């Protein structure tokens, strides 16, 4: 006999500047479906206007979207960054209208949708920031701050972690509401607030075998974190070694004795400078090789943790020892991230201050600067993703303590 599958429709709403983030949210839905959906008898089905709305002439575009999307979806996920979108006949943007349509359903009926709202750091925007649009986003964010809790993010990894954790809780609430509604003694229920609590809830998605267990994931996560730490330490050691090289060569130039032959003295100094330029190219090459490795190891660890959060949420297998161990490991990783960030940031200032003496030196400086900017951006994103992962892990642990 075929098993009944409960379909939960998830409406993903956003302006055009966060289209990549819409894909990340769909990846999160796919992950939840893969890990817990079929086993638990549910399926999350995404609704996106660009995929689910067909051509129609005669009404305002937003009215067509509203009609075709309908008001039967179970979860609303909104994403905003620096753009608010075009005004509609009723609201300042389509996303705002879609949000308040969902919020109106939630406040006016017991079958209202779960509402999850996410704001991307505008400094990470991939689109040019327009002052008027940015101010509208800020006004909307302030407007909904009294309606519930939204989440901020600055990378694809942190968004995916937040959405996965929030979806597991939203599905639990929906399933609980369904159980109450279908009970013969079901009491009347009312909603207390509008936006679901997403605060307590970045690479190609890493897929795991459907039979994988928590012990397997634990090994994957800790091995990835170990490799990630080793890679960070390698880059830190290379940075320190190159810093010592610069100090030695600077001292060597300063201590050169004049021979009275200006051209000969300049050739000697230039040879030392170009030796430093060659070392700059070597150091930048190390970073160019190691940064992708660090991204890959970090992404593997985060994906493993996302997967483990889903299994723990479903099976209730997490315990305080697991949480304490992973929390300690992540806290240690964050400390290393911050240390390396400070080291590289200080080193970058030193590189910038070096005078433009030769073309080879200038080329080396430019390449080192590009590599260190890439590294600093990654370290900042990784540190914030660790914070997000810690919050999600502690949230799952808190939920299980409450259930016990």
């Amino acid at each position: 006999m075929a098993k009944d599958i409960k379909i939960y429709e998830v409406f993903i709403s956003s302006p055009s500047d966060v289209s990549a983030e819409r894909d990340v949210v769909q990846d999160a839905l796919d992950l939840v479906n893969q890990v817990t959906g079929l086993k638990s008898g549910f399926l999350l089905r995404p609704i996106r206007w660009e995929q689910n709305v067909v051509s129609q002439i005669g009404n305002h575009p937003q009215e067509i979207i509203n009609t075709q999307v309908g008001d039967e979806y179970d979860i609303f996920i909104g994403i905003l960054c620096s753009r608010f979108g075009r005004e509609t006949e009723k609201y300042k943007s389509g996303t705002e209208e879609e949000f308040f349509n969902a919020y109106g359903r939630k406040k006016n009926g017991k079958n209202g949708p779960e509402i999850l709202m996410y704001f991307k750091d505008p400094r990470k925007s991939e689109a040019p920031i327009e002052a008027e649009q940015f101010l509208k986003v800020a006004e909307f964010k302030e407007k909904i701050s009294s309606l519930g809790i939204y989440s901020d993010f600055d990378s694809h990894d942190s968004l995916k972690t937040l959405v996965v954790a929030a979806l597991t809780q939203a599905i639990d609430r929906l399933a609980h509401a369904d159980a109450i509604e279908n009970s013969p003694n079901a009491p009347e229920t009312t909603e207390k607030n509008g936006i679901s609590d997403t605060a307590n809830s970045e690479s190609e998605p890493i897929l795991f075998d459907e039979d994988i267990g928590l012990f397997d994931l634990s090994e994957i996560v800790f091995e990835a974190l170990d490799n990630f730490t080793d890679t960070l330490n390698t880059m830190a050691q290379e940075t320190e070694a190159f810093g010592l090289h610069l100090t030695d060569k600077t001292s060597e130039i300063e201590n050169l004795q004049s021979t009275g032959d200006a051209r000969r003295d300049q050739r000697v100094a230039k040879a030392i400078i170009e030796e430093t330029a060659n070392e700059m190219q070597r150091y930048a090459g190390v970073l160019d090789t190691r940064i992708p490795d660090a991204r890959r190891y970090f992404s593997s660890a985060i994906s493993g943790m996302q997967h483990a959060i889903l299994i723990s949420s479903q099976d209730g297998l997490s315990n305080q020892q697991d949480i304490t161990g992973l929390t300690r490991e992540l806290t240690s990783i964050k400390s290393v991230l911050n240390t390396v960030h400070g080291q590289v940031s200080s080193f970058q200032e030193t590189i910038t201050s070096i005078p433009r003496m030769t073309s080879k030196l200038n080329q080396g400086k430019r390449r080192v600067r590009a590599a260190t900017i890439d590294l600093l951006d990654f370290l900042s994103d990784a540190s914030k993703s660790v914070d997000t992962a810690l919050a999600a892990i502690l949230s799952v642990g808190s939920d299980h303590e409450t259930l016990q």
Side-chain angles (χ1 to χ4, degrees), residues 191-294:
E191 298 291 344
K192 292 184 178 180
N193 52 35
I195 309 175
S196 301
D197 184 348
T198 60
N200 297 318
S201 59
E202 258 155 40
S203 307
E204 288 294 315
I206 298 175
L207 300 179
F208 299 100
D209 187 273
E210 64 178 6
D211 294 326
I212 198 167
L214 283 176
F215 286 170
D216 306 311
L217 287 167
S218 178
E219 291 177 358
I220 291 171
V221 168
F222 282 111
E223 181 179 357
L225 289 178
D226 286 343
N227 290 332
F228 177 63
T229 302
D230 289 344
T231 304
L232 282 185
N233 286 334
T234 297
M235 289 190 286
Q237 292 164 6
E238 289 287 346
T239 301
E240 182 178 5
F242 183 41
L244 292 174
H245 174 91
L246 283 181
T247 300
D248 290 345
K249 295 304 175 183
T250 300
S251 176
E252 193 174 335
I253 291 175
E254 290 175 347
N255 292 330
L256 283 176
Q257 299 295 322
S258 174
T259 64
D261 184 339
R263 293 183 64 187
R264 181 179 182 281
D265 292 344
Q266 181 173 311
R267 284 197 299 271
V268 173
K270 184 176 180 180
I272 297 173
I273 290 170
E274 298 210 339
E275 183 181 345
T276 298
N278 291 334
E279 185 64 15
M280 284 182 175
Q281 293 287 353
R282 188 200 68 80
Y283 170 70
V286 170
L287 294 190
D288 288 343
T289 300
R290 294 293 184 171
I291 292 172
D293 289 342

Side-chain angles (χ1 to χ4, degrees), residues 82 84 129-141:
S82 60
F84 200 47
I129 296 179
E130 302 174 19
E132 182 180 1
Q133 287 284 311
F134 177 71
L135 288 175
K136 287 180 178 179
V137 173
E139 290 172 0
F140 175 75
K141 191 174 184 180

Side-chain angles (χ1 to χ4, degrees), residues 75-142:
I75 301 173
F76 172 93
I77 297 181
I79 316 166
L80 286 168
C81 183
S82 60
R83 280 192 57 79
F84 200 47
R86 299 179 184 176
E87 287 193 14
T88 69
E89 293 178 329
K90 300 176 182 177
Y91 290 89
K92 294 181 181 179
S93 80
T95 302
E96 182 180 37
E97 181 163 337
E98 290 159 2
F99 172 87
F100 279 108
N101 285 344
Y103 180 73
R105 283 181 55 205
K106 189 170 185 69
K107 295 297 290 182
N108 296 328
K110 60 184 179 181
N111 294 322
E114 292 288 322
I115 301 177
L116 312 176
M117 196 70 210
Y118 300 94
F119 291 88
K120 181 179 180 180
D121 185 341
R123 292 171 296 183
K124 302 292 185 178
S125 174
E126 297 177 5
I129 296 179
E130 302 174 19
E132 182 180 1
Q133 287 284 311
F134 177 71
L135 288 175
K136 287 180 178 179
V137 173
E139 290 172 0
F140 175 75
K141 191 174 184 180
E142 176 65 25

Side-chain angles (χ1 to χ4, degrees), residues 16-28:
S16 59
D17 64 324
V18 284
S19 58
E21 284 71 20
R22 294 163 68 84
D23 293 337
V24 171
V25 169
Q26 185 155 339
D27 287 344

Side-chain angles (χ1 to χ4, degrees), residues 300-361:
S300 178
I302 290 296
S303 294
M305 282 185 277
Q306 291 167 347
H307 214 82
I309 287 170
L310 285 174
I311 293 177
S312 296
S313 297
Q314 180 185 19
D315 296 349
L317 295 179
S318 69
N319 58 51
Q320 194 58 45
Q321 185 176 0
D322 297 332
I323 293 170
T324 300
L326 191 52
T327 299
R328 187 185 301 115
E329 184 75 13
L330 287 173
T331 302
S332 175
I333 292 290
K334 184 173 175 63
S335 177
V336 173
L337 287 168
N338 291 340
T339 298
V340 176
H341 189 284
Q343 182 184 20
V344 175
S345 181
S346 176
F347 175 70
Q348 189 185 66
E349 293 176 3
T350 300
I351 294 294
T352 302
S353 67
I354 296 176
R356 293 174 290 180
M357 305 295 289
T358 70
S359 60
K360 286 186 67 175
L361 182 69

Side-chain angles (χ1 to χ4, degrees), residues 338-397:
N338 291 340
T339 298
V340 176
H341 189 284
Q343 182 184 20
V344 175
S345 181
S346 176
F347 175 70
Q348 189 185 66
E349 293 176 3
T350 300
I351 294 294
T352 302
S353 67
I354 296 176
R356 293 174 290 180
M357 305 295 289
T358 70
S359 60
K360 286 186 67 175
L361 182 69
N362 296 339
Q363 291 167 6
K365 282 178 58 180
R366 185 165 60 251
R367 188 175 174 198
V368 168
R369 178 169 172 76
T372 52
I373 287 175
D374 188 23
L375 177 57
L376 289 172
D377 286 345
F378 166 65
L379 294 172
S380 295
D381 290 345
S383 181
K384 292 172 183 176
S385 291
V386 168
D387 288 337
T388 301
L390 281 169
I393 290 165
L394 293 174
S395 172
V396 170

